[in-house]
Amino acid sequence: MGSPAAAPYAPPPPDAGGTDKGLKKGALGLFSSVVIGLASTAPAYSLAATLGFIVAIVGLQSPIVIILAFVPMLLIAYGYKELNRADPDCGTTFTWASRAFGPRTGWLGGWGIIAADIIVMANLAQIAGAYGFQLVGADGLANDTFWVTFVGVVWIAVMTLICYIGIEISANSQKVLLTIEVVMLFVLAITALVKVYGGTAPSVSSHVQGSWFNPFDIGSLDALTKGMLAGIFIYWGWDTAVSVNEETRDRDRTPGRAAVISTIVLLLVYGLVTIAAQAFAGVGDKGIGLGNPDNSGDVLSNLGSEVFGAGGWGSFATKLLILMVLTSAAASTQTTILPTARTTLSMAAFKAIPDRFARIHPRFRTPTWSTVGMGLASIAFYVVLTRVSENVLADSIGSVGLMIAFYYGLTGFACVWYYRKVLTRSFHDLWIRGIVPGLGGALLLYFFVNACRVYAAADYGSTSWTVPVPPHWHLGGVFVTGIGALLVGGVLMLVYRVIRPAFFRQETIPVSAHPAHPSDPAHSSDPRHPSDPHGDDQAPPGT
């Protein structure tokens, strides 16, 4: 789908300052960036697929888990915001970790983004396929693996095409899809609460209780960890607002602001819906209870028919709810392609992967090989795993949490290390560029390590694997898929390092010299240096 005129990007010399990869500049404003960040998280789909799982783990404490999961996300969002001020590059974690820690760490950070996005695309496509049939009442086809897979593949292809044609079309389509999604979520939550407090809700309903917000009532630390990882998954995706930074107006400020705003809006949406759903349906494992395993894969649609009723407006609203989850999955399919294509674009621009992935369409100003490659890789992964086993597919989705914790946490630590020489300049620098992202990285590191321990159990997930060499460990499929994906990235990195060593010799992205202390007179007149007492400037890009 590329054009002969599209050429790979050649990075500027080290003293050129910044990068220009040929993307369409100034195409997005703050509102569009926030919309892309929110749509990437797929709020409706995430709640539908995850809320039942969280309830099954922590019961009545689900609201506090949703709130606590927001904390590391907000902390890391500030890390993204500060690093984007210094270097607004669409490679985000790849570029920043390369500057802070070196090329190997940066390469693995970029791979973490790619692997997580390709894996989650399989689940998004499956949801889009199944819900598409449910929307038109074809329940039989919704349970047919072949037809669901076929429609899922079509969804990926269509969303890839939209991303290929242009970032503005992508953003405008997201505004429509996200509006339907958020409006219906609020309608569902408010209707449920009105019925609860009006006395017309089912007998299992109850008023909101203060004990729901007490984390110490959670049974165990393992339960808290599992619940938090599921909660982190539903917030994941806001970083897409930063990955389109090179196409954003005021690109060193707007993307970071959009990331922080997105996480706060998500907290409001998730908190309200979780509280309303729990008040209306309870956490029981029977009937409409959120803990009923028969409903865990799709809490919202089952809840919607009870909240809205069966006839007239109720039937219409329930259909809208199904459409909402469908559009949520579709929107997230599109916005999952965007960050991956731009990550690979940046990696290719800096010679970390083949040059062809840095090609830009001469008219659309979008990545060509990177966008199409993401679509094709997602289709291949989805089809292969569906053919192998739906249990393997389910475990692969569960493994995404490991990769999220890996590359989000790495970004938090990269922010601290990049700004380490100016952290003593002011409380603002210490807090925003040190403590906040560092704490976020530490929390995610803890969840990553603890999740590896939990996921490694042979009875965790839908599948288990036996290591073919002594001591023949029996490991859970979620752990094998997650850690296996990261190890595959390590192998690919070593192979490419042999083939094209320039990036790994720090010839294209040298390790940053880091911002110097403001007392250094060499930087006192540099307006891009973070010695500005108001904190509104940028650190030098480190090149």
Side-chain angles (χ1 to χ4, degrees), residues 89-425:
D89 187 279
C90 65
T92 60
T93 300
F94 157 73
T95 311
W96 302 331
S98 295
R99 295 198 191 282
F101 300 126
R104 290 180 294 276
T105 304
W107 202 99
L108 289 175
W111 173 257
I113 297 174
I114 296 168
D117 287 350
I118 289 176
I119 290 174
V120 83
M121 282 283 281
N123 188 247
L124 292 170
Q126 189 177 45
I127 291 291
Y131 270 77
F133 287 122
Q134 288 182 31
L135 185 63
V136 297
D139 294 336
L141 292 177
N143 295 315
D144 187 298
T145 301
F146 171 80
W147 286 109
V148 168
T149 304
F150 176 79
V151 174
V153 168
V154 172
W155 268 114
I156 295 176
V158 170
M159 294 305 162
T160 301
L161 177 62
I162 292 175
C163 292
Y164 185 90
I165 291 174
I167 188 67
E168 290 166 312
I169 294 176
S170 298
N172 289 333
S173 63
Q174 290 303 327
K175 291 174 185 176
V176 176
L177 296 175
L178 187 68
T179 298
I180 297 172
E181 191 173 348
V182 173
V183 167
M184 281 306 300
L185 283 174
F186 275 107
V187 169
L188 174 69
I190 293 171
T191 303
L193 289 174
V194 167
K195 287 193 172 184
V196 167
Y197 283 90
T200 58
S203 58
V204 295
S205 68
S206 66
H207 290 186
V208 177
Q209 306 293 320
S211 60
W212 297 357
F213 304 93
N214 184 1
F216 298 103
D217 284 347
I218 298 174
S220 67
L221 189 58
D222 279 355
L224 175 62
T225 298
K226 292 177 183 178
M228 285 287 289
L229 281 169
I232 287 170
F233 174 78
I234 69 174
Y235 283 100
W236 172 51
W238 49 262
D239 53 304
T240 301
V242 186
S243 70
V244 295
N245 49 17
E246 296 190 39
E247 297 146 282
T248 306
R249 293 189 290 275
D250 198 8
R251 71 179 196 173
D252 60 330
R253 300 171 188 264
T254 299
R257 292 171 60 198
V260 174
I261 292 171
S262 296
T263 58
I264 294 172
V265 173
L266 287 170
L267 172 65
L268 298 176
V269 173
Y270 289 155
L272 177 62
V273 174
T274 300
I275 291 168
Q278 186 164 302
F280 184 89
V283 297
D285 58 3
K286 305 292 183 183
I288 65 171
L290 299 181
N292 186 342
D294 294 334
N295 301 335
S296 61
D298 182 10
V299 169
L300 294 186
S301 292
N302 291 288
L303 185 64
S305 60
E306 294 292 333
V307 171
F308 295 127
W313 155 251
S315 177
F316 175 73
T318 301
K319 284 290 186 182
L320 274 181
L321 204 59
I322 295 174
L323 175 63
M324 176 195 66
V325 178
L326 171 61
T327 58
S328 178
S332 189
T333 302
Q334 178 185 333
T335 49
T336 299
I337 295 170
L338 290 176
T340 315
R342 280 143 185 82
T343 298
T344 54
L345 167 67
S346 183
M347 292 179 76
F350 290 109
K351 310 298 182 183
I353 60 176
D355 291 344
R356 61 177 60 93
F357 288 98
R359 290 177 181 170
I360 296 293
H361 195 283
R363 180 160 63 93
F364 300 139
R365 314 310 299 168
T366 56
T368 54
W369 272 71
S370 287
T371 300
V372 176
M374 171 57 182
L376 293 176
S378 300
I379 289 172
F381 182 82
Y382 176 41
V383 171
V384 168
L385 258 65
T386 301
R387 294 286 295 175
V388 172
S389 168
E390 291 199 5
N391 287 335
V392 175
L393 178 61
D395 279 352
S396 72
I397 301 306
S399 71
V400 171
L402 290 174
M403 278 163 278
I404 297 170
F406 170 72
Y407 84 83
Y408 271 5
L410 178 61
T411 308
F413 291 132
C415 183
V416 177
W417 194 247
Y418 185 85
Y419 282 106
R420 70 187 188 276
K421 292 186 178 181
V422 298
L423 295 182
T424 57
R425 182 185 60 196

Side-chain angles (χ1 to χ4, degrees), residues 450-475:
N450 202 40
C452 285
R453 180 182 64 81
V454 173
Y455 291 171
D459 60 350
Y460 188 90
S462 304
T463 61
S464 63
W465 301 81
T466 301
V467 178
V469 295
H472 298 293
W473 289 318
H474 299 285
L475 302 172

Side-chain angles (χ1 to χ4, degrees), residues 382-539:
Y382 176 41
V383 171
V384 168
L385 258 65
T386 301
R387 294 286 295 175
V388 172
S389 168
E390 291 199 5
N391 287 335
V392 175
L393 178 61
D395 279 352
S396 72
I397 301 306
S399 71
V400 171
L402 290 174
M403 278 163 278
I404 297 170
F406 170 72
Y407 84 83
Y408 271 5
L410 178 61
T411 308
F413 291 132
C415 183
V416 177
W417 194 247
Y418 185 85
Y419 282 106
R420 70 187 188 276
K421 292 186 178 181
V422 298
L423 295 182
T424 57
R425 182 185 60 196
S426 67
F427 177 76
H428 173 273
D429 287 311
L430 177 63
W431 179 251
I432 296 298
R433 293 168 172 170
I435 294 174
V436 166
L439 180 58
L443 288 172
L444 290 173
L445 175 61
Y446 165 77
F447 289 126
F448 179 87
V449 172
N450 202 40
C452 285
R453 180 182 64 81
V454 173
Y455 291 171
D459 60 350
Y460 188 90
S462 304
T463 61
S464 63
W465 301 81
T466 301
V467 178
V469 295
H472 298 293
W473 289 318
H474 299 285
L475 302 172
V478 175
F479 173 83
V480 170
T481 305
I483 298 301
L486 293 176
L487 291 176
V488 167
V491 172
L492 292 175
M493 177 187 70
L494 293 175
V495 170
Y496 201 73
R497 182 183 181 185
V498 173
I499 297 172
R500 295 192 66 184
F503 167 75
F504 298 96
R505 291 174 180 167
Q506 301 178 21
E507 294 174 10
T508 58
I509 304 184
V511 174
S512 171
H514 306 290
H517 193 277
S519 62
D520 182 355
H523 296 282
S524 61
S525 62
D526 184 358
R528 291 176 55 84
H529 194 269
S531 59
D532 176 30
H534 302 292
D536 290 333
D537 49 339
Q538 305 172 36

